[in-house]
Amino acid sequence: MSLNDTLHRVTERVRERSRATRRAYLDQMDRAIGEGRNRDVLSCGNLAHGFAACGGADKAALKDGGSANIGIITAYNDMLSAHQPFETYPDIIRDELRQHGAVAQVAGGVPAMCDGVTQGQDGMELSLFSRDVIAMATAVGLSHNMFDAALFLGVCDKIVPGLMMGALRFGHLPAIFVPAGPMRSGLPNPEKARVRQLYAEGKVGREALLDAESKSYHSPGTCTFYGTANSNQMLMEIMGLHVPGSAFINPTDPLRDKLTRAAAKRALELVHQGEDFTPIAHVVDERAIVNAIVGLHATGGSTNHTIHLIAIARAAGIAINWQDFDELAAVTPLLCRVYPNGPADVNHFHAAGGLALVIRELLDAGLLHGDVKTVAGDGLEHYTREPYDNDGALAWSEGTRESANLDVVRPVAEPFSADGGLRVLDGNLGRSVIKVSAVKPENRVVEAPAVVFESQDDLMAAFKAGELERDFVAILRFQGPRANGMPELHKLTPALGSLQDRGFKVALVTDGRMSGASGKVPAAIHVSPEAALGGPLARVQTGDMITLDAERGTLELVADGFETRELAQLDTSVTLGMGRELFTGFRAVASAAEEGAISIPGLGENTIQEPVMA
């Protein structure tokens, strides 16, 4: 199948837009590759420090200089359920590599926040910026220059994007991302959502809510809904950075350890002196980024990636924007219904055919670039295969060509909808994104008076006081990167959903973010420019008539003199406490949402210059 015309056009536009920055990036990586193996530039003192704590065999191998050394960047902690399984991975990786005459060292650890723990709390205001902290922490770990390749242990929301950004700045090294898989299915996600809504309405107590939450989030592994964490895993597969089929194998499945060992062995094969040198700079190119956007649309993935993918791309010298997302959405069919877009969870999705089937369908329809480099070899067709246990050995077979459950996964010829689940809204209130894959068609157009809030707590207080039992559009401003770090506002979903279920026309408009798990209430999010920078939301007044039209792609307010109104001002006192003051510098420089909300000035810009000699 020839490439879809829109896919080709968008890719060429991205390539042309990125020509200077991508060339500068590749030149930097090529210079690093040309310097040869990293450890060769280290002094004897440098090397001695680097292997001082190693055991006898590993120390001898590194001292001799002939063995590869694979660095591990780990996001392990045992509070975050998705990352708890990583505790044992370094030992598994070391054991595998020793069998092949190589060494592994933990190069460094990175922080890993759980958005589920911080949702609706002050700590959530650190969440987005933790991505950039992770990128920098990754760089610190790899800066020792001891490594021939790197394995990245991470799953969740900001962790994988941050690891990707850091990995790409060391793009001269091969890199493989190693997941831990989702927890097994517990309380069905729709039932969890039902109890949350009953709690918001005051119909059940905290004990019933905690019981439901505990039955849903019940063991090691990723949460089973299709939010940002599981969207991350899809992206790593479709961008060719996983061992094929790794994404959705449960932590306790015997295949899990075999896949981790396979990742270690494959990393060894990809090193500069190995059989198939493949640095990550050559894997993540314009085609891989476009493939990632298509995968996001086809699966109904997280809105957070309209920010994170932009940041990841910039780390590789590639410039994308929401226009690219919008145009690709128009030609990408929605092939999956996974909660919050449907009742099934990621385990059901995997059993119905999963990513191998989705990737095959998109390739066959000309909606993915197949001629890409991946850690599994040339060509994305490697990711249409599924791993299995062949008498104790890991092997792969062709994935299914038919869905085992058409309520969960469908072919391109019979999609759930003809276009993807993410759309861009434009109008005099700014530019924003909306996820419509979980919004019923009758709720995609809302015209109602504005009710203005400047904190989610104020909105919840109005709901509990019965002040929102009417048609309205909630304007929640000063939630952008410059204001307070752009926290997720998922705790509003049960309250707004309750009002919607009672027949009211409701919508949310905000310069903040919603969780990847948010669904049925129409929400124009990431509104740019944000209110803290004088964006139009700072002029909105309660009672203004707002029109959110997800079908036409518009977000508008009609009022005489709107453009000349006085701007509301940000209350900066709310950014103190819970460590938020440590991120003042991040807030001061963060870019707009459509620019990746990046707090690392210059990332991805064409700023690499030779020093001027006196």
Side-chain angles (χ1 to χ4, degrees), residues 139-423:
V140 170
L142 294 178
S143 68
H144 294 97
N145 218 17
M146 285 282 295
F147 311 108
D148 301 288
L151 295 171
F152 296 87
L153 313 185
V155 172
C156 283
D157 298 23
K158 314 311 164 301
I159 293 91
V160 166
L163 291 172
M164 278 286 289
M165 292 163 69
L168 286 164
R169 298 318 299 181
F170 286 76
H172 59 288
L173 295 177
I176 297 180
F177 281 68
V178 185
M183 64 180 68
R184 296 189 184 275
S185 302
L187 185 74
N189 284 298
E191 176 61 14
K192 174 194 66 181
R194 185 186 72 84
V195 176
R196 282 181 177 175
Q197 191 161 309
L198 289 173
Y199 178 77
E201 296 168 355
K203 295 177 180 177
V204 300
R206 182 178 173 87
E207 183 178 351
L209 178 62
L210 184 57
D211 182 64
E213 299 282 3
S214 300
K215 290 177 179 176
S216 182
Y217 309 118
H218 59 88
S219 68
T222 316
C223 307
T224 61
F225 58 82
Y226 194 54
T228 311
N230 285 315
S231 296
N232 285 340
Q233 304 318 297
M234 177 277 297
L235 293 176
M236 294 302 95
E237 292 266 336
I238 211 165
M239 294 175 76
L241 292 166
H242 272 175
V243 169
S246 295
F248 299 129
I249 304 295
N250 302 120
T252 55
D253 191 304
L255 279 180
R256 186 80 269 167
D257 283 357
K258 296 182 188 300
L259 287 163
T260 300
R261 288 180 177 277
K265 182 174 183 292
R266 184 58 181 161
L268 181 59
E269 295 167 351
L270 298 180
V271 301
H272 200 210
Q273 64 271 37
E275 301 173 5
D276 189 16
F277 178 52
T278 308
I280 189 175
H282 295 172
V283 174
V284 180
D285 63 7
E286 297 89 346
R287 296 167 299 174
I289 293 292
V290 168
N291 282 352
I293 298 173
V294 170
L296 193 69
H297 291 319
T299 58
S302 170
T303 53
N304 280 322
H305 283 299
T306 61
I307 296 175
H308 295 324
L309 271 174
I310 291 170
I312 290 167
R314 290 200 173 208
I318 299 168
I320 57 173
N321 58 36
W322 288 346
Q323 180 184 357
D324 303 324
F325 281 84
D326 201 43
E327 291 184 22
L328 291 169
V331 298
T332 304
L334 181 65
L335 303 184
C336 308
R337 284 280 190 210
V338 187
Y339 189 83
N341 306 328
D345 66 24
V346 293
N347 293 313
H348 304 135
F349 166 69
H350 185 66
L355 288 175
L357 176 59
V358 170
I359 292 171
R360 181 189 300 280
E361 284 290 318
L362 293 171
L363 281 172
D364 288 349
L367 287 168
L368 288 174
H369 293 280
D371 58 336
V372 291
K373 284 187 176 295
T374 79
V375 300
D378 289 344
L380 195 58
E381 68 273 6
H382 288 286
Y383 292 82
T384 65
R385 301 184 300 161
E386 296 177 338
Y388 70 99
D389 189 323
N390 182 21
D391 292 330
L394 183 65
W396 281 264
S397 63
E398 285 301 308
T400 181
R401 292 181 175 272
E402 294 185 1
S403 172
N405 187 340
L406 291 173
D407 291 331
V408 180
V409 186
R410 289 188 180 180
V412 167
E414 303 175 66
F416 290 102
S417 66
D419 61 3
L422 293 173
R423 296 179 186 173

Side-chain angles (χ1 to χ4, degrees), residues 73-74 107-111 130-144 162-163 166 170 600:
I73 300 290
T74 178
V110 302
S130 76
R131 180 197 68 192
D132 295 359
V133 171
I134 290 163
M136 291 186 282
T138 298
V140 170
L142 294 178
S143 68
H144 294 97
L163 291 172
F170 286 76
I600 305 171

